């Protein structure tokens, strides 16, 4: 996507090329005053706002109160040219209904022809549901590890290549190998006598 901009009469005009408005990722532009000057359809959908409600509003509207001060400080440093925005970062945004969404951002500084900073372009992805799934999976794995490690039976897990991926305390006791010694090794090489391989 591209943005065309001009700095006539101390304000910047952004024109989206066909496809940006209907892009599947949220895209927005914030000017040096911290005002939202562009938000595509996906961004509005994620945040629960009509486009007219967001355009010309302060971006603070979208930042949860507990991190608003920190985000404002970072924004001011970027606009003053004291730091550059991280190429990738994750940040919570506040929806109109008060819900919080976790967004992964890619951001770029927009400059005028004379090199002065005129705003920041953000594109991103709503990763809220994915992160919740990852957290649930991590919790399930943690619970599984507790069960496996407290089992009185030896539990050994191998992958499709025949390499050991899990070796519990009971397996250590039964076979004499620590998990550090054997995880990642072939079960055939580590445990099966040559004549039976």
């Amino acid at each position: 996507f591209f943005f065309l901009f001009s700095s006539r009469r101390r304000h910047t005009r952004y024109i989206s090329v066909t496809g940006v408005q209907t892009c599947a990722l949220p895209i927005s532009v914030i000017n040096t005053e911290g005002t939202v000057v562009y938000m595509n359809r996906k961004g509005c959908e994620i945040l629960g706002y009509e486009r007219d409600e967001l355009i010309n509003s302060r971006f603070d509207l979208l930042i949860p109160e507990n991190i608003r001060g920190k985000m404002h400080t970072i924004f001011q440093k970027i606009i003053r040219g004291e730091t550059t925005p991280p190429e990738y970062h994750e940040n919570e945004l506040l929806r109109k209904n008060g819900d919080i969404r976790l967004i992964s951002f890619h951001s770029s500084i927009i400059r005028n022809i004379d090199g002065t900073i005129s705003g920041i372009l953000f594109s991103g992805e709503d990763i809220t549901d994915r992160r919740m799934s990852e957290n649930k999976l991590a919790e399930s794995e943690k619970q599984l590890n507790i069960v496996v490690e407290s089992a009185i039976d030896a539990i050994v897990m191998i992958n499709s290549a025949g390499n050991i991926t899990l070796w519990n305390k009971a397996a250590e006791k039964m076979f004499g190998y620590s998990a550090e010694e054997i995880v990642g090794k072939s079960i055939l090489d580590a445990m099966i006598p040559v004549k039976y391989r």
Side-chain angles (χ1 to χ4, degrees):
F1 53 87
F2 298 91
F3 283 85
L4 307 177
F5 53 94
S6 61
S7 296
R8 297 177 186 164
R9 299 185 184 179
R10 299 182 61 190
H11 63 275
T12 305
R13 183 167 55 97
Y14 298 87
I15 305 168
S16 63
V17 171
T18 303
V20 175
Q21 182 61 22
T22 57
C23 180
L25 299 175
I27 297 172
S28 62
V29 176
I30 298 171
N31 67 14
T32 54
E33 285 77 40
T35 301
V36 178
V37 294
Y38 180 82
M39 181 74 69
N40 74 342
R41 190 175 301 155
K42 186 63 176 181
C44 294
E45 177 188 315
I46 289 172
L47 296 169
Y49 285 93
E50 295 296 326
R51 190 169 181 272
D52 291 343
E53 294 178 291
L54 286 175
I55 300 304
N56 296 323
S57 65
R58 297 281 302 167
F59 85 96
D60 294 353
L61 174 75
L62 307 174
I63 307 297
E65 192 173 343
N66 63 321
I67 59 171
R68 198 169 291 164
K70 176 184 174 185
M71 295 305 298
H72 183 74
T73 300
I74 294 170
F75 178 78
Q76 290 301 317
K77 287 182 177 180
I78 292 170
I79 293 303
R80 289 194 299 264
E82 296 172 7
T83 186
T84 56
E87 185 178 333
Y88 173 88
H89 66 283
E90 296 175 3
N91 205 79
E92 292 179 339
L93 290 184
L94 188 63
R95 298 189 81 234
K96 184 178 179 180
N97 66 3
D99 289 346
I100 301 289
R101 302 300 291 181
L102 182 64
I103 310 295
S104 65
F105 285 103
H106 294 275
S107 46
S108 303
I109 291 175
I110 301 172
R111 295 182 184 273
N112 292 315
I113 294 170
D114 63 4
T116 59
I117 295 173
S118 62
I120 305 176
L121 169 69
F122 297 95
S123 64
E125 181 183 3
D126 186 345
I127 60 171
T128 309
D129 296 335
R130 186 176 77 198
R131 184 55 51 82
M132 288 175 63
S133 297
E134 289 171 353
N135 290 342
K136 286 180 182 177
L137 179 61
E139 184 60 31
S140 295
E141 289 176 348
K142 181 179 176 182
Q143 291 174 355
L144 175 63
N145 285 337
I146 291 171
V147 171
V148 167
E149 288 304 316
S150 62
I152 59 172
D153 293 323
I155 299 176
V156 177
M157 186 183 298
I158 61 170
N159 62 18
S160 59
N163 296 325
I164 298 166
T165 59
L166 186 144
W167 187 267
N168 73 345
K169 295 289 185 188
E172 289 183 350
K173 186 175 180 181
M174 180 179 290
F175 297 108
Y177 295 104
S178 69
E180 289 76 17
E181 290 176 294
I182 204 162
V183 168
K185 292 185 178 178
S186 164
I187 194 165
L188 291 176
D189 295 340
M191 298 182 64
I192 309 300
V194 174
K195 64 180 179 179
Y196 295 124
R197 291 179 191 174

